[in-house]
Amino acid sequence: TKLDPELTGELWREYYERHGRGWLTVVSGSMMPLICVGDRILVSSVSPENIRPGNLVAFRRDGNFVGHRVIKTEKDNEGLLFFEKGDAAAAVGTFQEKDLVGRITVIKHESSFLRLDTVTGNLAERTYAWWLRSMKPVIRRLYQPSRRLLVYPGKAASLPLRAVNKLLIHACRFTWSLCGRSLKKAPLQA
């Protein structure tokens, strides 16, 4: 049986409001290689003032939930304005404080949990964000709009671009291994 997406969304929102957190399944590759299609993310309630650049958040856009990284915040007439970007996306978008659902605190990849709500996980999240920012000039120089940078690494790409893709994938694996010890203690059910 297939549930109506609108009903499913309402049930999820009710559960989230009652418990302050809820699991979502990832359906796009915009956060690859850190978060892959099919991974599950735990979204936890958070005050908008506590969101910092580098944090992974979930927000609403056109009736859907989107999970991206916050790269900048500003105040405007309607409150806080968040600038966001998927790690694998080229474009930067914005969303208002009222559209914020919560912060992504856990990523479940296969049988591993990456907890971003621990000291080690927070450090890994910020290190990964810093590494992506520092690679931006290299990526800009090598990236051509007709090629997909992260979604299809190595496919129809130049040798330097494939090397950058491999570095990104290794950085992601390092992030997972850095938090590996705290993952096994994760008492969360997905």
Side-chain angles (χ1 to χ4, degrees):
T1 330
K2 188 173 181 180
L3 292 174
D4 175 26
E6 195 172 306
L7 174 64
T8 307
E10 287 177 35
L11 290 171
W12 189 89
R13 277 189 283 283
E14 185 178 317
Y15 179 88
Y16 181 80
E17 288 172 9
R18 190 175 296 168
H19 299 284
R21 64 184 187 180
W23 288 96
L24 293 171
T25 301
V26 177
V27 295
S28 108
S30 66
M31 287 298 293
M32 285 179 67
L34 183 65
I35 304 174
C36 300
V37 174
D39 288 355
R40 302 210 32 177
I41 56 174
L42 180 65
V43 179
S44 299
S45 180
V46 67
S47 170
E49 294 80 26
N50 292 333
I51 298 295
R52 302 281 177 255
N55 288 156
L56 300 178
V57 297
F59 57 93
R60 288 183 203 88
R61 177 178 288 147
D62 301 327
N64 296 314
F65 294 109
V66 178
H68 280 173
R69 187 179 305 280
V70 171
I71 57 172
K72 181 178 164 185
T73 60
E74 287 182 2
K75 282 198 179 240
D76 69 0
N77 296 340
E78 297 180 35
L80 285 173
L81 178 67
F82 295 95
F83 291 79
E84 52 77 18
K85 182 181 171 310
D87 290 350
V92 173
T94 60
F95 67 94
Q96 294 290 331
E97 171 180 341
K98 64 180 166 63
D99 296 321
L100 177 69
V101 176
R103 182 169 176 220
I104 298 171
T105 54
V106 179
I107 304 166
K108 181 181 184 287
H109 178 73
E110 295 172 358
S111 62
S112 298
F113 289 85
L114 175 58
R115 294 199 58 170
L116 303 174
D117 58 349
T118 63
V119 173
T120 310
N122 198 352
L123 175 65
E125 178 184 31
R126 291 184 181 275
T127 302
Y128 190 70
W130 170 83
W131 192 86
L132 283 172
R133 269 195 317 274
S134 65
M135 289 302 294
K136 192 184 282 184
V138 175
I139 292 168
R140 262 198 211 130
R141 184 167 285 194
L142 298 173
Y143 182 70
Q144 294 177 7
S146 63
R147 297 183 180 145
R148 299 285 276 231
L149 179 61
L150 294 172
V151 179
Y152 304 106
K155 208 172 196 182
S158 66
L159 184 61
L161 187 56
R162 277 185 262 160
V164 170
N165 282 330
K166 283 186 178 181
L167 281 173
L168 284 171
I169 290 166
H170 286 301
C172 179
R173 287 183 182 149
F174 173 74
T175 303
W176 280 96
S177 67
L178 180 65
C179 297
R181 283 179 226 115
S182 63
L183 301 180
K184 294 173 186 157
K185 298 177 187 171
L188 304 167
Q189 296 292 321

